[in-house]
Amino acid sequence: MAEAVFHPPRRKRRVFETYVAPFPVDVGGKDFRMCQAEILNNHVLVRNPEDIEQLYNKGYFGKGILSRSRPVYSISDPSLVAKWQGANMNMPIISSKKYQYHVQWAKSVLQQQGLDDCSVTRILENYTKPLEPPVLEEDRAEQTSNSCNRMAPNTENTEFPRQSATESGNVVAPRPENQNQGSKRARLEGDPESGPVARCGLKEEEQGEVKEGAAGACQKPVHHGSKVEESTEPRSGDMSKSRECAAEYVLVQEEEEGSFCPGDDSAPAQGNLVKKEKLVCRKNPFRIFEYLQLSLEEAFFLVYALGCLSIYYGEEPLTILKLWEFFSEVKPNFKTTYMAYHYFRSKGWVPKVGLKYGTDFLLYRKGPPFYHASYSVLAELVDDNFEGSLRRPLSWKSLAGLNRTTANASKELMLCYLIRPSDMTEEEMATPECMKRIKVQELIVNRWVSSRERSEQEEF
C-alpha cells in the first residue's frame, strides 16, 4: 500500500479577520461562559447574540440560518447605507419595496389568527405610521427643543424634507456622538406607543379589544423558541426573548412627489422634474432574527467534550445520556459521525458538514475563513475485520465519481474507519463512553495515473 503524502492546505487570499481561539473555553477558566441552545424541530439553535459570537468566533461552530456561514445577517441594505452615509443614523436603512414585504408577511400572520381585514388594516396602519427617530434617554431633554430644526446633510439627488418630523414623520439626524451608543435603551421621543403591536393602544370599537397574542404576532420572529426553565440569574434565553419583543425601528427610503426646477419660466416639462428621496422612520412589523444553527455533532461536542453548552428541550435541560439517545433517534448514523467528528476536532481540524460534496465532513485548518477545506471525509463503523453494515456501499464506479468530484474541488478523499471491538455490546454503545474502545484508521484515496507513475519511475 502506498504511503499517503500530506499536502499543506491552501490558504485563502483575502482574510478579513483574526484567529481568536480553537474552542469557546478559556484555559484558566476565569472568563468561562455557559452558552444555551434549544431543540426546535430536531434542530439545535442558539438565540442569544453573545452566545452566538462566543461559539462562532472561537472554533467556528455552527452557521447562521440567514447567512452563508458567519451569522452576520442584517435587514439593512448596504447600498442604501452607503448612499445615506452622511445622515449619521444608527438604524437599518431599507427600501420601501422591502418594507412592504414585511408588511405583507405581518398581514398574513394576523389573518391566520382569525382577524378580519378591517382590523388587520387598522393594526398595521397604526403600527407602521411615520414616527420620530429613537433618541437616547439621557439626551432626550436636549434634543426635544432642537430635533425639528436639525437636518442631515444632503447627498446627490437626495434630501431630507424641511418639515417638522412630528408632522411628516421624516428623519432627523441625531448628534454624531450618539451614533455609536446602540447598547443603550432607546425610546421614541414624545411617543408613548413605543412597544410592540400588542401594546400600541389600538382599540377595537366594534369588536372590543384585539387579542394580545394576535396583535403581538407581528413582532415574533420566523423561528419561534421555547421558554426555558427559570433560574436565580437572568439567562441568555430570557434576554433574547426581551430583545425579540422590543420594537425595531428602520429607516425607509421613500420618494417624494416631483418638483420643478426654480427659475424656469418656460412651461413645465417632464424633463424638469427633480426626483427627491427621503428617509422615514417606521416600526418593522415583521422582525427576522439571525440564529446560529449547530449540527448534532457540534452540539454534542460542546456539551460532552467541552462542557460549555446546555441544551433545552422545552423547559427541560437535557443530560448527556438523553442527548446521545435523542440524537441517535433523529440521525441513525449519529454515533458513527460523532466519533469521527470528535476524533478530528481533537486533532485540531475544524470539521464542517460535507453534504454538498457527497461526504460526511469537510476538514478545515483553523477555520473556513482562513483555509480551503483539505479533505472530504467518509466515516464508517466496522469491526476488527473491517466488516459491518456499510451505510454507503461504494462500487468502483461510484468511488471513482466521488473521487473525481473531490479532486475537482482541490480536495482529497479520506475514508475514516471507526474500528469497533468484536466483544462490544449494544449496551456499551448506548453511552458515549464507548468511544474509549474505538480505534480509528484513515485511508486517503488517490487516483492512479499510469503516465505519471511511469514518468516518475524513469527519473530513477
Side-chain angles (χ1 to χ4, degrees), residues 420-430 434 437:
R420 168 184 173 179
S422 302
D423 58 346
M424 180 176 288
T425 62
E426 291 297 331
E427 294 181 357
E428 295 182 72
M429 293 291 294
C434 65
R437 301 184 60 189

Side-chain angles (χ1 to χ4, degrees), residues 3-57:
E3 182 180 358
V5 179
F6 174 77
H7 299 284
R10 294 188 303 117
R11 188 175 181 86
K12 292 187 176 180
R13 296 181 180 179
R14 299 179 181 180
V15 179
F16 302 99
E17 58 184 278
T18 57
Y19 185 71
V20 180
F23 298 117
V25 292
D26 295 330
V27 178
K30 298 180 180 179
D31 300 329
F32 179 80
R33 177 184 178 86
M34 177 63 72
C35 302
Q36 293 184 4
E38 300 179 47
I39 296 180
L40 300 174
N41 299 328
N42 297 334
H43 297 285
V44 182
L45 298 180
V46 181
R47 304 170 62 184
N48 191 326
E50 297 180 359
D51 293 345
I52 292 175
E53 182 180 1
Q54 175 82 358
L55 295 178
Y56 191 86
N57 291 346

Side-chain angles (χ1 to χ4, degrees), residues 251-310:
L251 300 177
V252 184
Q253 177 180 280
E254 299 180 355
E255 294 183 359
E256 288 185 314
E257 295 181 359
S259 60
F260 297 101
C261 295
D264 191 357
D265 298 334
S266 61
Q270 186 176 2
N272 296 328
L273 291 177
V274 178
K275 181 187 294 186
K276 293 185 179 180
E277 297 173 337
K278 62 179 180 179
L279 294 180
V280 180
C281 180
R282 299 179 186 271
K283 289 183 182 179
N284 182 15
F286 192 90
R287 299 188 64 180
I288 302 177
F289 293 92
E290 175 80 290
Y291 296 153
L292 184 71
Q293 180 177 355
L294 299 173
S295 66
L296 302 183
E297 292 80 11
E298 291 173 330
F300 194 82
F301 182 83
L302 292 171
V303 175
Y304 173 72
L306 301 182
C308 62
L309 180 69
S310 59

Side-chain angles (χ1 to χ4, degrees), residues 231-373:
S231 61
T232 56
E233 299 181 358
R235 295 197 317 271
S236 60
D238 299 333
M239 292 185 292
S240 63
K241 289 180 184 298
S242 62
R243 176 179 67 97
E244 295 170 2
C245 294
E248 180 185 33
Y249 305 103
V250 295
L251 300 177
V252 184
Q253 177 180 280
E254 299 180 355
E255 294 183 359
E256 288 185 314
E257 295 181 359
S259 60
F260 297 101
C261 295
D264 191 357
D265 298 334
S266 61
Q270 186 176 2
N272 296 328
L273 291 177
V274 178
K275 181 187 294 186
K276 293 185 179 180
E277 297 173 337
K278 62 179 180 179
L279 294 180
V280 180
C281 180
R282 299 179 186 271
K283 289 183 182 179
N284 182 15
F286 192 90
R287 299 188 64 180
I288 302 177
F289 293 92
E290 175 80 290
Y291 296 153
L292 184 71
Q293 180 177 355
L294 299 173
S295 66
L296 302 183
E297 292 80 11
E298 291 173 330
F300 194 82
F301 182 83
L302 292 171
V303 175
Y304 173 72
L306 301 182
C308 62
L309 180 69
S310 59
I311 301 179
Y312 285 78
Y313 184 75
E315 298 184 357
E316 178 186 3
L318 300 180
T319 62
I320 293 178
L321 293 180
K322 287 185 178 180
L323 285 175
W324 182 263
E325 181 181 356
F326 180 79
F327 289 165
S328 299
E329 294 178 358
V330 174
K331 187 177 181 180
N333 62 325
F334 168 75
K335 298 178 182 178
T336 302
T337 55
Y338 177 74
M339 292 176 187
Y341 182 92
H342 191 106
Y343 171 77
F344 289 115
R345 266 289 183 178
S346 63
K347 295 294 183 180
W349 294 96
V350 179
K352 306 298 288 187
V353 178
L355 182 61
K356 65 180 180 179
Y357 293 105
T359 56
D360 295 318
F361 298 110
L362 296 176
L363 299 185
Y364 293 87
R365 181 177 183 265
K366 295 178 67 175
F370 306 99
Y371 293 90
H372 294 278

Side-chain angles (χ1 to χ4, degrees), residues 103 106-107 110 120-129 218 285:
V103 175
K107 181 178 180 180
L110 291 176
V120 171
T121 302
R122 284 202 284 174
I123 290 175
L124 294 178
E125 287 180 354
N126 182 276
Y127 193 77
T128 60
K129 62 184 180 181
C218 298

Side-chain angles (χ1 to χ4, degrees), residues 110 112-115 119 123 197-199 202 204 207-218:
L110 291 176
Q112 292 175 2
Q113 297 182 358
L115 294 178
S119 301
I123 290 175
V197 177
R199 297 187 295 272
L202 176 65
E204 296 293 336
Q207 303 178 2
E209 294 184 357
V210 180
K211 296 180 180 179
E212 182 180 358
C218 298

